[in-house]
Amino acid sequence: MSVQVFLVLRFVIAGLLYVFLSAVIYLLWLDLRQYGKRALPQIPTPIIIQHDREGEIYPLRFTEPEIFIGRDVACQYVLENTTVSARHARVFFRQGQWWVEDLHSTNGTYLNQEPVVSPTVLTSGDQLRCGQVILSITVE
């Protein structure tokens, strides 16, 4: 009788081991699936940045995930104004939204007349001020 009990115990332990391994593999698969969704690059929705210079409006439409605003010609949106720093602000796409961040500019970056002290979400109709230049934001 003891041989039969040991045989049954071996089958029960083997079954529990298979259940445990199946659960571990399933949890790993779920984790990898979630990671795969997060790792996919998000395609940014277009954003239009425009400002009025000497009576003319200069709109630019961007679809890149990161835009630098400043006086430097390496910036994607160049502002020729002495109150604007060389690299004044950064507009970037993350978590399905457009954000703005001040890059330690001399005269500050303001969103709807509030200083930008940390990355802040942008929405259509926002006014972004870099130095003394006011930019209008439209998110498509």
Side-chain angles (χ1 to χ4, degrees):
M1 176 151 162
S2 64
V3 173
Q4 293 172 344
V5 171
F6 283 123
L7 184 61
V8 169
L9 281 176
R10 286 178 69 185
F11 281 120
V12 168
I13 291 173
L16 288 174
L17 183 61
Y18 280 115
V19 167
F20 174 75
L21 289 176
S22 298
V24 168
I25 290 170
Y26 178 71
L27 290 174
L28 285 173
W29 177 75
L30 285 178
D31 192 41
L32 286 173
R33 191 169 155 209
Q34 283 297 104
Y35 178 76
K37 288 180 182 177
R38 282 182 279 153
L40 291 175
Q42 293 183 347
I43 299 170
T45 57
I47 186 170
I48 297 172
I49 303 174
Q50 64 185 19
H51 77 285
D52 185 352
R53 187 175 78 186
E54 299 169 7
E56 291 187 47
I57 295 178
Y58 290 89
L60 284 177
R61 184 175 188 261
F62 296 98
T63 55
E64 298 97 29
E66 184 174 67
I67 304 155
F68 287 96
I69 300 172
R71 274 194 344 256
D72 190 354
V73 294
C75 292
Q76 286 80 8
Y77 198 85
V78 178
L79 297 171
E80 296 172 1
N81 187 299
T82 56
T83 63
V84 177
S85 298
R87 282 189 134 195
H88 197 98
R90 178 175 79 116
V91 175
F92 58 97
F93 191 78
R94 183 176 299 149
Q95 299 170 345
Q97 295 178 318
W98 284 99
W99 298 70
V100 64
E101 172 183 37
D102 182 60
L103 298 177
H104 307 292
S105 60
T106 304
N107 293 314
T109 303
Y110 295 84
L111 181 62
N112 300 324
Q113 297 159 357
E114 295 289 326
V116 176
V117 293
S118 64
T120 307
V121 174
L122 289 171
T123 58
S124 281
D126 280 345
Q127 284 194 336
L128 184 65
R129 183 165 60 97
C130 297
Q132 292 181 355
V133 179
I134 297 175
L135 306 170
S136 298
I137 305 296
T138 305
V139 178
E140 294 183 340

